[in-house]
Structure formats: C-alpha cells, structure tokens
Amino acid sequence: IILTESEGKKIAVKLNPTAMQQGGMPGMQKQKVEKADNTRLTNERKKINGYDCVKVVGEDEDSNYEAWITNDLNFSIFDLFPMLKDTRDYSAETDIVEAIFEKGFILEMTETKKKTDEVSKMTATINEQKVNASLFNISEEEYQVFDLTDMAKLMQEASTDPEKMQQLQKIFEEMSNN
C-alpha cells in the first residue's frame, strides 16, 4: 500500500505484486525502447539514516536528476514491485529513473525540470520493525483508494469493452487530478 498526500488530497494505492506479476500487465504490449543510460555514479558519498550512499546523476530530455542510493540494504525497488521488471521497457519517460533504480535503493532523489526549474524531491525512510496488520486498514473516508490489481484486470477487460474503457479513463483522470 502506497499512501500519498499532496495539497490536502490523500490517495492510497493498493498493490498485490505477486498477483500482478503472475498475471502480467494485461492490455500492454511490450515494446522495446532503445534507451541510452544517461546516468552516472559519482565519487560523492554521504550517510543517510546510517546507510552509506553514493550520488548518482542523470538527465533526460525534460529533467536533471540527482539521487543518493545505497547498496547496504541488498534490496531493490524491483523487490517491492516485481511487475516493474515486466513493464520497464514500455515507456521512454521512465527510463532514466529506472536506470537509477538499477544502481541501488534510492534514499533521496531530486528532479529539476529544465524548462521551469520546478523541483520535486523524494525521500525514503527505512524503519526495520514488526508491522501491525491494522496499518493496512485504510479509511476510505480519509483516502481515495485505488487498487492496481483490480485496475490491471480492468485494463484487460477494457481492451474489448468500451464501457470498461470509460471506467478506466475515469480512474486515470481521478488519479492524475490528485
């Protein structure tokens, strides 16, 4: 479950990576995108939350990226979201971020848009602890909830059913408006 909050709006995205991995990403045709890995590891190092990190920089047509990654965790974003491995060649837009993911676990990342100088920053905090199952109960009054497993099924159905396609488009509009 990924919880996000932006400008007072709260979204919960439920994932079942195993189910999505087994079912693949319905409705998507894998298209190989030739990508240049425009990322490079630097010699800059720092500790973040006790983890040794190295700076990775990269750029694509629209943005410059700076990320601090660690390999201390022996853990990858692909361990959390195995379906990314299946979909990572679908879009040239995500190539640069995926290239950074491949280098290590991102603890901090900054994206600066070239045209507007708009800056987006992501930070991750690692807390090793036992998790109470009640944390996975999401208040639908507090959060707008999207279930990506259901969406994958809906994507498959939408390929042949115009009504399902309209439902899917509405969901994507709601997600993008939040």
Side-chain angles (χ1 to χ4, degrees), residues 147-169:
D147 187 322
L148 290 190
T149 307
D150 292 343
M151 285 178 57
K153 182 180 176 193
L154 183 59
M155 287 171 69
Q156 186 174 28
E157 294 170 354
S159 66
T160 59
D161 183 339
E163 187 175 309
K164 299 282 186 183
M165 180 59 78
Q166 287 177 343
Q167 288 176 353
L168 187 62
Q169 288 172 339

Side-chain angles (χ1 to χ4, degrees), residues 109-128:
M109 185 165 77
T110 304
E111 174 187 9
T112 306
K113 296 285 186 186
K114 291 179 178 178
K115 291 182 180 174
T116 64
D117 287 331
E118 177 185 344
V119 176
S120 300
K121 186 167 184 172
M122 183 275 308
T123 59
T125 303
I126 309 298
N127 294 319
E128 292 184 40

Side-chain angles (χ1 to χ4, degrees), residues 14-52:
K14 292 182 177 183
L15 302 166
N16 182 338
T18 305
M20 292 180 80
Q21 181 76 4
Q22 289 170 347
M25 293 298 289
M28 295 185 120
Q29 304 283 318
K30 189 162 188 163
Q31 299 173 5
K32 184 69 177 166
V33 173
E34 293 300 320
K35 65 177 182 179
D37 184 355
N38 294 327
T39 62
R40 68 178 174 81
L41 288 169
T42 69
N43 291 325
E44 291 183 61
R45 298 189 167 288
K46 73 176 181 179
K47 282 211 183 261
I48 300 175
N49 296 327
Y51 297 99
D52 290 318

